[in-house]
Amino acid sequence: MKFTKPLIKGKLIKRYKRFFTDVEISNKIVTAHCPNTGSMKGLLDEGNEVYVSKNDNPRRKLKYTLEIIKVKKNLVGVNTHFANKIAFHGLSNNLVKEVSNNDSIKPEVFFDKETRFDFLVEKNKQKIFVEVKNVTLFREEKTAEFPDAVTTRGSKHLKTLIEAIKKGYKSYLLFLVQIQGVDNFKIAKDIDKEYYENYLLAKKAGVIFLAYQCKISSKEIKIDKKIKIINA
């Protein structure tokens, strides 16, 4: 997924009211939209290098959008709105080897009245659900983690992926690791024990878990390589 224009470098001042960040660009403070409603745990230290996009549409209240934060020398993509775009690009270009050479890819497909998954993939008449989770947390130098806060919605998705298997679908959960410089991924069971327990149940039921790291720059973000999931 390429950015329409190269991103602009700045320094993080603070994030507030969830959707706002103050950023210093060329000795000037601007307010940028924060397209991430999560906790962004470990990313928000004052002075962190950031990259923002600029949109001069006069209808927009905020011209800048926070896209990337640099933490511990690692670039982290924080725009959750892009996660499915990055995943779709990866699925369409066979960058996720376990779900490659597909016959069709449909985004945002309902499984039942309450739940829709990010993608329905068809391959050789097999229907496959792919749910995507954006990963931005890393507390250890080489290990990414999910979730960064308690996620009841995430647990619900795991349970529904199990139900999909019972109805003949194949189920994948793709952890999209928008963090450079990590080699491993694990579930943050100390943050959400219930999610970890549901992860183990889903794994036992046949849900296939994948963690793919992204290549990140001020020009584009795309799926790069598979990394190891180290939870039991």
Side-chain angles (χ1 to χ4, degrees):
M1 185 213 73
K2 294 183 181 294
F3 294 106
T4 53
K5 299 177 183 177
L7 303 183
I8 301 165
K9 186 191 292 189
K11 282 187 179 181
L12 180 67
I13 305 300
K14 64 179 178 178
R15 177 211 195 191
Y16 53 101
K17 296 181 181 178
R18 298 182 81 181
F19 298 104
F20 298 94
T21 48
D22 285 346
V23 175
E24 182 182 330
I25 301 173
S26 301
N27 298 317
K28 186 177 179 181
I29 306 297
V30 302
T31 299
H33 172 61
C34 180
N36 188 320
T37 59
S39 76
M40 298 177 69
K41 185 179 178 70
L43 304 179
L44 298 172
D45 291 343
E46 183 177 352
N48 279 352
E49 185 175 295
V50 299
Y51 291 83
V52 299
S53 58
K54 187 180 181 184
N55 188 325
D56 291 316
N57 186 334
R59 295 182 179 180
R60 282 190 52 140
K61 292 181 179 179
L62 298 175
K63 292 185 181 296
Y64 296 93
T65 300
L66 181 66
E67 306 288 2
I68 296 170
I69 301 178
K70 190 173 185 179
V71 183
K72 302 173 189 174
K73 299 181 180 179
N74 295 358
L75 295 178
V76 182
V78 297
N79 190 333
T80 56
H81 299 162
F82 285 155
N84 281 12
K85 291 182 180 180
I86 296 165
F88 183 77
H89 175 270
L91 292 170
S92 301
N93 290 277
N94 301 317
L95 301 180
V96 181
K97 61 183 180 180
E98 293 83 357
V99 196
S100 59
N101 300 311
N102 302 299
D103 299 319
S104 68
I105 306 168
K106 298 176 183 177
E108 299 289 333
V109 175
F110 278 94
F111 170 68
D112 55 29
K113 291 181 180 179
E114 294 183 356
T115 306
R116 64 182 174 184
F117 292 119
D118 292 318
F119 298 100
L120 175 62
V121 174
E122 290 197 39
K123 180 178 179 179
N124 299 327
K125 296 184 179 179
Q126 170 72 63
K127 292 186 176 182
I128 305 164
F129 278 122
V130 181
E131 178 66 12
V132 179
K133 297 299 179 189
N134 194 54
V135 179
T136 62
L137 175 64
F138 67 111
R139 295 177 289 181
E140 301 169 27
E141 187 176 350
K142 294 292 184 179
T143 303
E145 297 179 78
F146 181 90
D148 65 359
V150 173
T151 172
T152 53
R153 184 170 178 266
S155 282
K156 178 187 171 186
H157 278 146
L158 291 177
K159 293 174 184 176
T160 312
L161 286 169
I162 295 171
E163 291 302 311
I165 289 174
K166 292 176 182 178
K167 293 189 177 181
Y169 294 88
K170 201 168 184 179
S171 294
Y172 283 85
L173 196 146
L174 171 63
F175 291 108
L176 187 73
V177 181
Q178 287 203 63
I179 309 167
Q180 287 196 313
V182 295
D183 299 322
N184 305 302
F185 169 85
K186 69 179 182 180
I187 305 298
K189 56 184 175 181
D190 62 312
I191 292 177
D192 192 341
K193 184 179 179 182
E194 183 179 350
Y195 186 83
Y196 176 69
E197 290 171 350
N198 284 313
Y199 157 76
L200 294 178
L201 289 173
K203 188 176 179 182
K204 187 175 181 180
V207 177
I208 301 169
F209 291 88
L210 305 171
Y212 271 79
Q213 183 186 45
C214 293
K215 184 177 182 180
I216 302 171
S217 74
S218 61
K219 294 182 179 179
E220 69 174 342
I221 301 177
K222 67 178 183 178
I223 288 176
D224 183 27
K225 63 180 181 180
K226 185 179 180 180
I227 61 174
K228 186 178 180 182
I229 299 176
I230 59 175
N231 284 93

